[in-house]
Amino acid sequence: MISSKPLDIPCSLQERKVLEKIALAAHDLGVPAYLIGGFVRDKLLGRRTKDMDVVCVGDGIALAHQVAAALGDNVPVAFFKTYGTAQVKWHEFEIEFVGARKESYRRESRNPEVVAGTLQDDQNRRDFTINALAVSLRDADYGTLIDPFEGLADLDLKMIRTPLEPAQTFSDDPLRMMRAIRFASQLQFTIADNAFKAIQENAERIRIITQERITDEFNKIMLSPKPSVGLDLLYKAGLLKIIFPQMIDMVGVEMYEGKGHKDNFYHTLQVVDNISVHTHDLWLRWAALLHDIGKPATKKFEPGHGWTFHGHDAVGGKMVTRIFTKFKLPLHDKMKLVRKLVELHLRPISLTKENITDSAIRRLLFDAGDDIESLMLLCEADITSKNKSKVKRYLENFELVRARLKEVEESDRIRNWQPPVTGEMIMETFALKPGRIVGDLKNAIREAILDGEIANTYEAAYAFMLEKAKALELTPVK
Ligand code: CTP
């Protein structure tokens, strides 16, 4: 009986149950089947995963149907005849089925010409030795690890190696160059020298890959424990200059009259790592990545003063839209958040100076709204000085800013500010049609509240409006 046999990979009871169903279905159809790829790798690494890949020497779609029927009534199967792949979703599991294949890729296209093959053929064409590990689901050797390329040893060595000549593996699917770097960053592994050299030599081939797949890998790098590892590898591999040239413009230090500025590329990488200690949110990490992206375009040397980057916050904000569009990232709420954080990233630091008025604090609360905490997180991450006492001083100053923000917010409620007197109220009071006067009155009320001239209340705003209106010779009709 299969169920009494031990597996070479650690699995939960539920996972074992699923694997046994697959094994039985494969037995009934008479096709040898194997668990392969990410699930095997992640289980051996002790990482959580529910995505299983199953390869069988035969018809993957037929096996998927047989497994779905064994798992219960109406378990859906999604299949793609052209690719010979199928997917079964059951509870939290996503199980992909494919027939073992020998693939040869056409040079200018990602679309492979698929020819059926053996398990060994299939393992040969996988990207990395750690992803070519298979576990047998056959009766004869159920649960046994099949490891023709010493993937297990590479897991131990924390090494990314290709089963075949690296140039061949990367040329088969150039996205794998990014996958290598993503795994290095995600798992904190090292890319074998020959593989990295092949990436450098083949970097140009990334151009044939769709933006969606590139972005997907890039985001996985951004979500890794220390994204700088992957970002720096992308740079050193020569991939970054192709997929993200704006980042390359930040590389390097220019000297003039004996004065240099900091290397904005490596500073940025540090800021991304810093923020990643505090948040897993992809978009806050993107904000860290782009916070200084406007610097190269605004860089100037001002004699007697040194290097300046005036306006890099606003210029950077505009670039966010362009970069999000190019990367096909969500253009609504997420892009707006990142743009806002980039545009505002200098504001909290300016509030660490002495004698800051409540009005300046109110304006920041108004502009940042509910994203004030995220902005503070970004600003704290932006402190990358090597001087420990300087870092400590900055952080303490930010604590003071936080306290002031809290104090002013508690008394004035500016964060989710809604005008106490609305445009509609103004129009009704003076029988006005929508137009400039209504807008001017609204703005005057807002400015008076932010400046602390009047309280953030209906009564104060109404009285202020009447007074302003008098100067414009407007009389209330009610
Ligand atoms: N694979 C490959 N080349 C690719 C993509 C995938 O050889 N360009 C193979 C690898 O064997 C991989 C398996 O297909 O392990 C499954 O791919 P995928 O689900 O995309 O990745 P995982 O390795 O499972 O990792 P993750 O889930 O983290 O993306």
Side-chain angles (χ1 to χ4, degrees), residues 37-39 41-42 51 53 125-127 131-132 173 175-176 179 182-183 186 213 220:
F39 187 85
R41 176 198 70 222
D42 285 343
D51 295 347
D53 287 293
R125 56 157 280 273
R126 301 232 160 215
D127 52 2
N131 288 344
D173 177 3
L175 185 74
R176 289 169 168 174
R179 279 174 62 90
R182 184 257 286 193
F183 285 120
Q186 203 175 43
R213 295 180 81 215
K220 286 182 179 168

Side-chain angles (χ1 to χ4, degrees), residues 228 230-236 240 244-253 261-272 288-289 291-293 295-296:
S228 65
L231 294 168
D232 198 28
L233 284 171
L234 284 177
Y235 166 53
K236 291 188 171 134
L240 202 61
F244 205 158
Q246 297 90 337
M247 289 289 298
I248 300 296
D249 294 341
M250 293 204 286
V251 174
V253 175
H261 55 76
K262 65 181 157 202
D263 183 314
N264 288 308
F265 178 73
Y266 283 106
H267 162 71
T268 293
L269 264 46
Q270 181 67 57
V271 178
V272 176
L289 186 73
H291 78 286
D292 276 347
I293 201 77
K295 276 195 167 172

Side-chain angles (χ1 to χ4, degrees), residues 378-396:
L378 172 60
C379 293
E380 282 163 351
D382 199 5
I383 307 167
T384 59
S385 167
K386 288 207 170 57
N387 180 336
K388 288 226 168 80
S389 69
K390 214 167 164 181
V391 170
K392 190 162 167 272
R393 202 171 63 240
Y394 275 127
L395 289 176
E396 280 165 3

Side-chain angles (χ1 to χ4, degrees), residues 210-221:
T210 62
Q211 184 62 49
E212 286 82 352
R213 295 180 81 215
I214 290 176
T215 298
D216 208 34
E217 290 301 326
F218 192 85
N219 281 343
K220 286 182 179 168
I221 292 171

Side-chain angles (χ1 to χ4, degrees), residues 20 58 74 76 96-97 99 107 122 150 160 168 172 195 233 240 243 254 307 363 411 441 450 469 472:
E20 282 156 22
N74 305 321
E96 300 266 352
F97 294 86
R107 188 137 177 97
D122 196 279
E150 298 181 10
I160 313 274
Q168 166 79 52
D172 280 352
L233 284 171
L240 202 61
I243 64 166
E254 202 173 328
W307 293 99
R363 280 186 185 280
S411 73
L441 280 172
L450 291 177
L472 296 169

